[in-house]
Amino acid sequence: MPECPSLEEGHVFTDYLVSTYIPPDALFPTYLWAQEPSVNPRTNNGPESFHRTYNGQFYSPHPPTHVVISVLKETQAQNLTIINSIKNNVYNPMAKKDKSKIELTLQNYNDYKMHKDLILYLRKTENSYQGKNLKKAKM
C-alpha cells in the first residue's frame, strides 16, 4: 500500500481483491484457488529445468536421429543416477528457512481451520510470501 502511486487507487484495488476472492459468496471463492498447505514443492522448476537442459543439447530444430538417440541415452543414465541416489536416501534436505516458513504456514492453517477466520489467516501468512522489492532490486 505505501508504494501505490495513489493511495485511493490502492484502496480500490485491495477492495476489489478482497471482495472478489475472500468472502464465501465471492466471484472466485477460496475453494477454487486455494488448497491446504503442504510440505511438497510448490513449483514446476524441476520439469522446466529438465526441458531447458534437454532442449539445450540440440543445436538445430531438427537434429539427426543418431544425435537424438545419443541425448536420450545420456538423459536416461543421468535419471537412473538420480533415482538410485533417491533410493539410497541421498537427498538435499530443505533449507532451514524454507522449512520454518512452511511449518509456520501449516500452523496458521490449522488455526484457521479451528477458528474459521480467513482474514486473520491471510494476515498471519502474508509476510511469509512477499515478492521482491522492485525499488531495492533496481539499485
Side-chain angles (χ1 to χ4, degrees):
M1 289 293 292
E3 296 176 14
C4 287
S6 151
L7 198 55
E8 181 59 33
E9 289 174 9
H11 284 293
V12 170
F13 181 65
T14 54
D15 290 345
Y16 161 77
L17 286 177
V18 170
S19 65
T20 306
Y21 294 99
I22 305 302
D25 61 340
L27 183 59
F28 301 105
T30 54
Y31 71 86
L32 291 177
W33 57 267
Q35 66 181 30
E36 184 173 335
S38 71
V39 182
N40 297 329
R42 300 176 338 129
T43 68
N44 58 351
N45 289 343
E48 286 180 6
S49 173
F50 170 80
H51 285 109
R52 184 177 52 251
T53 304
Y54 180 76
N55 289 334
Q57 295 183 20
F58 300 107
Y59 299 104
S60 68
H62 304 287
T65 306
H66 69 280
V67 173
V68 174
I69 292 172
S70 174
V71 168
L72 286 173
K73 285 182 177 180
E74 287 176 24
T75 303
Q76 180 182 12
Q78 290 171 349
N79 287 331
L80 283 174
T81 302
I82 291 169
I83 290 169
N84 286 333
S85 69
I86 291 170
K87 284 181 181 177
N88 295 328
N89 291 326
V90 177
Y91 65 95
N92 294 330
M94 187 181 298
K96 191 174 184 177
K97 176 180 149 188
D98 294 335
K99 187 175 181 179
S100 64
K101 183 189 296 186
I102 290 171
E103 287 173 351
L104 179 62
T105 301
L106 289 171
Q107 179 184 350
N108 289 337
Y109 182 75
N110 289 333
D111 290 346
Y112 160 70
K113 286 194 323 191
M114 201 164 38
H115 302 295
K116 301 294 185 205
D117 187 348
L118 185 59
I119 299 295
L120 180 63
Y121 170 68
L122 292 173
R123 282 188 181 143
K124 285 181 174 181
T125 57
E126 71 182 344
N127 292 328
S128 299
Y129 297 98
Q130 291 184 351
K132 290 183 180 178
N133 184 338
L134 296 178
K135 288 181 182 179
K136 288 182 181 177
K138 289 181 182 179
M139 293 181 177

PDB file of all heavy atoms in Angstrom, residues 13-28:
ATOM      1  N   PHE A  13      -8.107  -1.106  -5.479  1.00  0.00           N
ATOM      2  CA  PHE A  13      -7.582  -2.407  -5.890  1.00  0.00           C
ATOM      3  C   PHE A  13      -7.695  -3.438  -4.772  1.00  0.00           C
ATOM      4  O   PHE A  13      -8.153  -4.569  -4.999  1.00  0.00           O
ATOM      5  CB  PHE A  13      -6.125  -2.273  -6.340  1.00  0.00           C
ATOM      6  CG  PHE A  13      -5.520  -3.566  -6.811  1.00  0.00           C
ATOM      7  CD1 PHE A  13      -5.993  -4.194  -7.952  1.00  0.00           C
ATOM      8  CD2 PHE A  13      -4.498  -4.158  -6.094  1.00  0.00           C
ATOM      9  CE1 PHE A  13      -5.446  -5.388  -8.385  1.00  0.00           C
ATOM     10  CE2 PHE A  13      -3.939  -5.359  -6.524  1.00  0.00           C
ATOM     11  CZ  PHE A  13      -4.419  -5.970  -7.668  1.00  0.00           C
ATOM     12  N   THR A  14      -7.306  -3.088  -3.555  1.00  0.00           N
ATOM     13  CA  THR A  14      -7.393  -4.061  -2.453  1.00  0.00           C
ATOM     14  C   THR A  14      -8.843  -4.403  -2.133  1.00  0.00           C
ATOM     15  O   THR A  14      -9.144  -5.549  -1.813  1.00  0.00           O
ATOM     16  CB  THR A  14      -6.680  -3.550  -1.186  1.00  0.00           C
ATOM     17  OG1 THR A  14      -7.195  -2.266  -0.842  1.00  0.00           O
ATOM     18  CG2 THR A  14      -5.190  -3.466  -1.392  1.00  0.00           C
ATOM     19  N   ASP A  15      -9.741  -3.412  -2.229  1.00  0.00           N
ATOM     20  CA  ASP A  15     -11.161  -3.709  -2.013  1.00  0.00           C
ATOM     21  C   ASP A  15     -11.662  -4.696  -3.064  1.00  0.00           C
ATOM     22  O   ASP A  15     -12.419  -5.624  -2.760  1.00  0.00           O
ATOM     23  CB  ASP A  15     -12.005  -2.433  -2.069  1.00  0.00           C
ATOM     24  CG  ASP A  15     -11.771  -1.534  -0.869  1.00  0.00           C
ATOM     25  OD1 ASP A  15     -11.188  -2.023   0.128  1.00  0.00           O
ATOM     26  OD2 ASP A  15     -12.162  -0.355  -0.927  1.00  0.00           O
ATOM     27  N   TYR A  16     -11.217  -4.514  -4.307  1.00  0.00           N
ATOM     28  CA  TYR A  16     -11.598  -5.435  -5.386  1.00  0.00           C
ATOM     29  C   TYR A  16     -11.083  -6.850  -5.077  1.00  0.00           C
ATOM     30  O   TYR A  16     -11.819  -7.830  -5.194  1.00  0.00           O
ATOM     31  CB  TYR A  16     -11.041  -4.947  -6.726  1.00  0.00           C
ATOM     32  CG  TYR A  16     -10.997  -6.023  -7.771  1.00  0.00           C
ATOM     33  CD1 TYR A  16     -12.168  -6.416  -8.434  1.00  0.00           C
ATOM     34  CD2 TYR A  16      -9.813  -6.674  -8.082  1.00  0.00           C
ATOM     35  CE1 TYR A  16     -12.134  -7.425  -9.380  1.00  0.00           C
ATOM     36  CE2 TYR A  16      -9.778  -7.676  -9.020  1.00  0.00           C
ATOM     37  CZ  TYR A  16     -10.937  -8.055  -9.667  1.00  0.00           C
ATOM     38  OH  TYR A  16     -10.900  -9.056 -10.598  1.00  0.00           O
ATOM     39  N   LEU A  17      -9.821  -6.966  -4.679  1.00  0.00           N
ATOM     40  CA  LEU A  17      -9.252  -8.285  -4.383  1.00  0.00           C
ATOM     41  C   LEU A  17     -10.019  -8.977  -3.261  1.00  0.00           C
ATOM     42  O   LEU A  17     -10.373 -10.158  -3.376  1.00  0.00           O
ATOM     43  CB  LEU A  17      -7.776  -8.158  -3.994  1.00  0.00           C
ATOM     44  CG  LEU A  17      -6.800  -7.865  -5.109  1.00  0.00           C
ATOM     45  CD1 LEU A  17      -5.395  -7.705  -4.545  1.00  0.00           C
ATOM     46  CD2 LEU A  17      -6.816  -8.949  -6.160  1.00  0.00           C
ATOM     47  N   VAL A  18     -10.259  -8.241  -2.189  1.00  0.00           N
ATOM     48  CA  VAL A  18     -10.947  -8.837  -1.042  1.00  0.00           C
ATOM     49  C   VAL A  18     -12.362  -9.255  -1.428  1.00  0.00           C
ATOM     50  O   VAL A  18     -12.788 -10.373  -1.139  1.00  0.00           O
ATOM     51  CB  VAL A  18     -10.958  -7.861   0.159  1.00  0.00           C
ATOM     52  CG1 VAL A  18     -11.874  -8.361   1.254  1.00  0.00           C
ATOM     53  CG2 VAL A  18      -9.537  -7.681   0.693  1.00  0.00           C
ATOM     54  N   SER A  19     -13.108  -8.409  -2.116  1.00  0.00           N
ATOM     55  CA  SER A  19     -14.500  -8.749  -2.449  1.00  0.00           C
ATOM     56  C   SER A  19     -14.595  -9.838  -3.511  1.00  0.00           C
ATOM     57  O   SER A  19     -15.555 -10.600  -3.542  1.00  0.00           O
ATOM     58  CB  SER A  19     -15.256  -7.505  -2.906  1.00  0.00           C
ATOM     59  OG  SER A  19     -14.715  -7.020  -4.118  1.00  0.00           O
ATOM     60  N   THR A  20     -13.593  -9.956  -4.372  1.00  0.00           N
ATOM     61  CA  THR A  20     -13.647 -10.939  -5.457  1.00  0.00           C
ATOM     62  C   THR A  20     -13.150 -12.313  -5.034  1.00  0.00           C
ATOM     63  O   THR A  20     -13.609 -13.327  -5.559  1.00  0.00           O
ATOM     64  CB  THR A  20     -12.813 -10.444  -6.657  1.00  0.00           C
ATOM     65  OG1 THR A  20     -13.265  -9.150  -7.027  1.00  0.00           O
ATOM     66  CG2 THR A  20     -12.952 -11.367  -7.850  1.00  0.00           C
ATOM     67  N   TYR A  21     -12.214 -12.378  -4.065  1.00  0.00           N
ATOM     68  CA  TYR A  21     -11.574 -13.653  -3.748  1.00  0.00           C
ATOM     69  C   TYR A  21     -11.766 -14.162  -2.321  1.00  0.00           C
ATOM     70  O   TYR A  21     -11.549 -15.338  -2.066  1.00  0.00           O
ATOM     71  CB  TYR A  21     -10.066 -13.558  -4.028  1.00  0.00           C
ATOM     72  CG  TYR A  21      -9.746 -13.378  -5.479  1.00  0.00           C
ATOM     73  CD1 TYR A  21      -9.454 -12.126  -5.997  1.00  0.00           C
ATOM     74  CD2 TYR A  21      -9.760 -14.454  -6.341  1.00  0.00           C
ATOM     75  CE1 TYR A  21      -9.171 -11.952  -7.336  1.00  0.00           C
ATOM     76  CE2 TYR A  21      -9.479 -14.292  -7.685  1.00  0.00           C
ATOM     77  CZ  TYR A  21      -9.179 -13.040  -8.178  1.00  0.00           C
ATOM     78  OH  TYR A  21      -8.901 -12.871  -9.506  1.00  0.00           O
ATOM     79  N   ILE A  22     -12.139 -13.334  -1.377  1.00  0.00           N
ATOM     80  CA  ILE A  22     -12.113 -13.754   0.024  1.00  0.00           C
ATOM     81  C   ILE A  22     -13.440 -14.241   0.595  1.00  0.00           C
ATOM     82  O   ILE A  22     -13.490 -15.327   1.174  1.00  0.00           O
ATOM     83  CB  ILE A  22     -11.527 -12.631   0.911  1.00  0.00           C
ATOM     84  CG1 ILE A  22     -10.142 -12.215   0.405  1.00  0.00           C
ATOM     85  CG2 ILE A  22     -11.467 -13.052   2.368  1.00  0.00           C
ATOM     86  CD1 ILE A  22      -9.116 -13.314   0.349  1.00  0.00           C
ATOM     87  N   PRO A  23     -14.557 -13.528   0.475  1.00  0.00           N
ATOM     88  CA  PRO A  23     -15.790 -13.982   1.143  1.00  0.00           C
ATOM     89  C   PRO A  23     -16.323 -15.294   0.560  1.00  0.00           C
ATOM     90  O   PRO A  23     -16.015 -15.638  -0.584  1.00  0.00           O
ATOM     91  CB  PRO A  23     -16.798 -12.860   0.874  1.00  0.00           C
ATOM     92  CG  PRO A  23     -16.062 -11.748   0.252  1.00  0.00           C
ATOM     93  CD  PRO A  23     -14.753 -12.268  -0.225  1.00  0.00           C
ATOM     94  N   PRO A  24     -17.104 -16.042   1.349  1.00  0.00           N
ATOM     95  CA  PRO A  24     -17.662 -17.305   0.849  1.00  0.00           C
ATOM     96  C   PRO A  24     -18.545 -17.116  -0.389  1.00  0.00           C
ATOM     97  O   PRO A  24     -18.619 -18.006  -1.232  1.00  0.00           O
ATOM     98  CB  PRO A  24     -18.499 -17.829   2.020  1.00  0.00           C
ATOM     99  CG  PRO A  24     -17.984 -17.114   3.217  1.00  0.00           C
ATOM    100  CD  PRO A  24     -17.434 -15.801   2.751  1.00  0.00           C
ATOM    101  N   ASP A  25     -19.198 -15.969  -0.528  1.00  0.00           N
ATOM    102  CA  ASP A  25     -20.051 -15.733  -1.695  1.00  0.00           C
ATOM    103  C   ASP A  25     -19.328 -14.950  -2.792  1.00  0.00           C
ATOM    104  O   ASP A  25     -19.953 -14.370  -3.675  1.00  0.00           O
ATOM    105  CB  ASP A  25     -21.329 -15.003  -1.283  1.00  0.00           C
ATOM    106  CG  ASP A  25     -21.042 -13.643  -0.664  1.00  0.00           C
ATOM    107  OD1 ASP A  25     -19.901 -13.419  -0.203  1.00  0.00           O
ATOM    108  OD2 ASP A  25     -21.961 -12.797  -0.645  1.00  0.00           O
ATOM    109  N   ALA A  26     -18.002 -14.931  -2.768  1.00  0.00           N
ATOM    110  CA  ALA A  26     -17.208 -14.185  -3.744  1.00  0.00           C
ATOM    111  C   ALA A  26     -17.341 -14.794  -5.132  1.00  0.00           C
ATOM    112  O   ALA A  26     -17.741 -15.960  -5.298  1.00  0.00           O
ATOM    113  CB  ALA A  26     -15.741 -14.182  -3.330  1.00  0.00           C
ATOM    114  N   LEU A  27     -16.971 -14.009  -6.138  1.00  0.00           N
ATOM    115  CA  LEU A  27     -16.993 -14.488  -7.510  1.00  0.00           C
ATOM    116  C   LEU A  27     -16.080 -15.705  -7.680  1.00  0.00           C
ATOM    117  O   LEU A  27     -16.409 -16.660  -8.373  1.00  0.00           O
ATOM    118  CB  LEU A  27     -16.550 -13.350  -8.452  1.00  0.00           C
ATOM    119  CG  LEU A  27     -16.570 -13.638  -9.944  1.00  0.00           C
ATOM    120  CD1 LEU A  27     -17.979 -14.013 -10.412  1.00  0.00           C
ATOM    121  CD2 LEU A  27     -16.067 -12.417 -10.716  1.00  0.00           C
ATOM    122  N   PHE A  28     -14.904 -15.664  -7.037  1.00  0.00           N
ATOM    123  CA  PHE A  28     -13.961 -16.782  -7.045  1.00  0.00           C
ATOM    124  C   PHE A  28     -13.636 -17.149  -5.600  1.00  0.00           C
ATOM    125  O   PHE A  28     -12.618 -16.715  -5.054  1.00  0.00           O
ATOM    126  CB  PHE A  28     -12.674 -16.399  -7.792  1.00  0.00           C
ATOM    127  CG  PHE A  28     -12.913 -15.987  -9.206  1.00  0.00           C
ATOM    128  CD1 PHE A  28     -12.853 -14.651  -9.574  1.00  0.00           C
ATOM    129  CD2 PHE A  28     -13.206 -16.929 -10.171  1.00  0.00           C
ATOM    130  CE1 PHE A  28     -13.071 -14.259 -10.880  1.00  0.00           C
ATOM    131  CE2 PHE A  28     -13.427 -16.549 -11.483  1.00  0.00           C
ATOM    132  CZ  PHE A  28     -13.369 -15.214 -11.841  1.00  0.00           C
TER     133      PHE A  28
END
